[in-house]
Amino acid sequence: MQDFVDLGEKIIFLVMLLASILAIAVFIERFIVYKRNFNKESESFLDSLTLLIRHRDLKGTEKLLESHPMENSYSRFIHFVLEREKENHKGLMELMEGKILKERLSLEERLPILNTLGNNAPFIGLLGTVLGVIKAFYGLGTLGNSGAEVVMRSISTALLATAAGLAVAIPVVIANNYFTRKMKLVLGHLEILSKEIHASFVTSGKHNQSSSSTPNIHH
């Protein structure tokens, strides 16, 4: 039994180490992805894009995309809209909703890993604590009063497992909430862009003179 508990403790600490490495890797990867949508350049791009759409200037929008070849959710969305417009698709609103959903799936990618780690890391640490307590009581029953020092060390190790679980879970939950909040902001901006496009092009069906050379978007 003692060997089984010792092995269980080692596995618990190994799992916590791997979980922390995985969480760091996911955080770095997602941070890079979201950074593309939240920097000064992307904010300026979004503001200019919204203004051009309000003025029904598709030609200016195309030039803006050419001068800002960055890869983010907003540029992909507008590229998609322009391509569908050139194909003279009907049901543009439904197509834009589908694109927004696709962007949501892309932004949510790997976030379930953080969610899973944040929810389960404390329980894994608690399991390590339970194993440590079992080991401590087993030693106390075997060694009696003479093994008090061994028992205290076992309990200390057991509590360390809980601390490790919390140390992994707390920053992971914070990171997951951070990315979830950012995702909602990106999707909100995309919803605003889709409504701007619908109001400026689909509903009115008219362009200003600066975009008269480009085909209309039809609903």
Side-chain angles (χ1 to χ4, degrees), residues 8-21:
E9 284 185 317
K10 291 178 181 179
I11 293 175
I12 291 298
F13 281 107
L14 178 61
V15 169
M16 298 305 298
L17 176 61
L18 294 176
S20 62
I21 294 174

Coordinates of all heavy atoms in Angstrom, one line a residue, residues 8-21:
G8 N 1.4 7.1 -6.5 CA 0.3 8.1 -6.8 C 0.7 9.5 -6.6 O 0.3 10.4 -7.4
E9 N 1.4 9.8 -5.5 CA 1.9 11.1 -5.2 C 2.8 11.6 -6.4 O 2.7 12.8 -6.8 CB 2.6 11.2 -3.9 CG 1.7 11.2 -2.7 CD 2.5 11.4 -1.4 OE1 3.6 10.8 -1.3 OE2 2.1 12.1 -0.5
K10 N 3.7 10.8 -6.8 CA 4.6 11.2 -7.9 C 3.8 11.5 -9.2 O 4.1 12.4 -9.9 CB 5.6 10.0 -8.1 CG 6.6 9.9 -7.0 CD 7.6 8.7 -7.3 CE 8.6 8.5 -6.1 NZ 9.5 7.4 -6.3
I11 N 2.8 10.6 -9.5 CA 2.0 10.8 -10.7 C 1.3 12.2 -10.6 O 1.2 12.9 -11.5 CB 1.1 9.7 -10.9 CG1 1.8 8.4 -11.2 CG2 0.0 10.0 -12.0 CD1 0.9 7.2 -11.3
I12 N 0.7 12.5 -9.4 CA 0.0 13.7 -9.2 C 0.9 14.9 -9.5 O 0.5 15.8 -10.2 CB -0.6 13.8 -7.8 CG1 -1.7 12.8 -7.6 CG2 -1.1 15.2 -7.5 CD1 -2.9 12.9 -8.4
F13 N 2.1 14.9 -8.9 CA 3.0 16.1 -9.1 C 3.4 16.1 -10.6 O 3.6 17.2 -11.1 CB 4.2 16.0 -8.2 CG 3.9 16.4 -6.8 CD1 3.8 15.5 -5.8 CD2 3.7 17.8 -6.5 CE1 3.5 15.9 -4.5 CE2 3.4 18.2 -5.2 CZ 3.3 17.3 -4.2
L14 N 3.6 15.0 -11.2 CA 4.0 15.0 -12.6 C 2.8 15.6 -13.5 O 3.1 16.4 -14.4 CB 4.3 13.6 -13.1 CG 4.7 13.4 -14.6 CD1 5.9 14.2 -14.9 CD2 4.9 11.9 -14.9
V15 N 1.6 15.2 -13.2 CA 0.4 15.7 -13.9 C 0.3 17.2 -13.7 O 0.0 17.9 -14.7 CB -0.9 15.0 -13.4 CG1 -2.1 15.7 -14.0 CG2 -0.9 13.5 -13.9
M16 N 0.6 17.7 -12.5 CA 0.5 19.1 -12.3 C 1.6 19.9 -13.1 O 1.3 21.0 -13.6 CB 0.6 19.4 -10.8 CG -0.5 18.8 -9.9 SD -2.1 19.3 -10.4 CE -2.1 21.0 -10.2
L17 N 2.7 19.3 -13.2 CA 3.8 19.9 -13.9 C 3.4 20.0 -15.4 O 3.6 21.0 -16.1 CB 5.1 19.1 -13.7 CG 6.3 19.6 -14.6 CD1 6.7 21.0 -14.2 CD2 7.5 18.7 -14.4
L18 N 2.9 18.9 -16.0 CA 2.5 18.8 -17.4 C 1.4 19.8 -17.6 O 1.3 20.5 -18.7 CB 2.1 17.4 -17.8 CG 3.3 16.4 -17.8 CD1 2.7 15.0 -18.1 CD2 4.4 16.8 -18.7
A19 N 0.4 19.9 -16.7 CA -0.7 20.8 -16.8 C -0.2 22.2 -16.8 O -0.7 23.1 -17.6 CB -1.7 20.6 -15.7
S20 N 0.7 22.6 -16.0 CA 1.2 24.0 -16.0 C 2.0 24.3 -17.3 O 1.8 25.4 -17.8 CB 2.2 24.2 -14.8 OG 3.3 23.3 -14.9
I21 N 2.7 23.3 -17.8 CA 3.4 23.6 -19.1 C 2.4 23.7 -20.2 O 2.5 24.6 -21.1 CB 4.4 22.4 -19.4 CG1 5.5 22.4 -18.4 CG2 4.9 22.5 -20.8 CD1 6.4 21.2 -18.5

